[in-house]
Amino acid sequence: MSGHGEHTHGFYFASDRSGLGSHPIDPGVVAHVIGSKCRAHGGPVECVLLNACNTEEMAQRLRAEGVSHVACWRLRVDDEAARVFARVFYCELDILAKTARRDADGCPDSHSDQRYKKAFQAAAVELQVWNATSSGAHSSRERKSCSHEPGNLAVFLSERGNLEGAGKRV
């Protein structure tokens, strides 16, 4: 999921095609709906990327609803940083899934937990590179309002242990 987020309301969804009108959605409702489709409840959902500012509370609710792995943003995030992170995260998942299929030992899903963690770490490293190379592209106003310092950005909540930034333990 991507969009705009806030600590108290989770995601804001556009209420019209112009994108100017939006309304908050209760994070508990969203977490319950997505959680009902997760692996723990017989559904296909194993991992969710909440690609919006301040989505850690919603991520914790998703974990409580049974979603195995959730990547989110602890604070505010620049739109381009969010795009970079998502692109690398999904590309890495695709590469790792193809590798698992080629090397399958009869059960390619047995390593899905590690794939999500590795994809998160690859995206976090790419984000550090992006931060270092694009720091001049952000106005001072953006730097104050959007946190994109390594270690304060992305959070990975997992049944196997949590990570933040480029692999530091929470």
Side-chain angles (χ1 to χ4, degrees):
M1 295 174 55
S2 68
H4 297 286
E6 183 180 288
H7 287 293
T8 57
H9 293 98
F11 271 90
Y12 279 82
F13 290 98
S15 58
D16 60 34
R17 289 199 175 268
S18 72
L20 299 175
S22 62
H23 61 282
I25 303 295
D26 182 324
V29 171
V30 174
H32 180 72
V33 170
I34 294 172
S36 71
K37 306 297 182 196
C38 74
R39 186 172 48 178
H41 300 289
V45 176
E46 294 180 358
C47 183
V48 174
L49 169 58
L50 299 174
N51 211 14
C53 298
N54 304 307
T55 50
E56 189 172 16
E57 180 183 333
M58 184 182 284
Q60 291 167 348
R61 289 178 182 222
L62 284 164
R63 281 288 301 120
E65 290 283 344
V67 177
S68 300
H69 314 282
V70 184
C72 64
W73 298 96
R74 176 165 290 151
L75 303 171
R76 294 188 65 180
V77 62
D78 177 80
D79 287 345
E80 186 60 25
R83 281 190 284 275
V84 167
F85 187 89
R87 179 183 50 80
V88 174
F89 182 79
Y90 287 117
C91 285
E92 189 70 16
L93 278 178
D94 184 53
I95 291 166
L96 292 167
K98 287 176 182 173
T99 302
R101 280 194 295 272
R102 267 198 320 269
D103 301 337
D105 55 11
C107 187
D109 288 338
S110 65
H111 303 292
S112 65
D113 293 345
Q114 287 300 313
R115 285 198 310 259
Y116 297 123
K117 179 180 175 182
K118 287 178 181 178
F120 173 85
Q121 290 172 321
V125 167
E126 182 67 23
L127 197 57
Q128 286 180 329
V129 171
W130 181 84
N131 283 331
T133 60
S134 67
S135 60
H138 302 292
S139 70
S140 61
R141 188 172 144 253
E142 283 180 305
R143 278 193 288 266
K144 289 178 186 170
S145 67
C146 294
S147 171
H148 45 266
E149 294 299 317
N152 289 328
L153 276 175
V155 178
F156 183 70
L157 305 178
S158 173
E159 60 192 11
R160 302 274 188 230
N162 302 334
L163 302 173
E164 70 178 32
K168 293 189 291 184
R169 278 272 187 215
V170 175

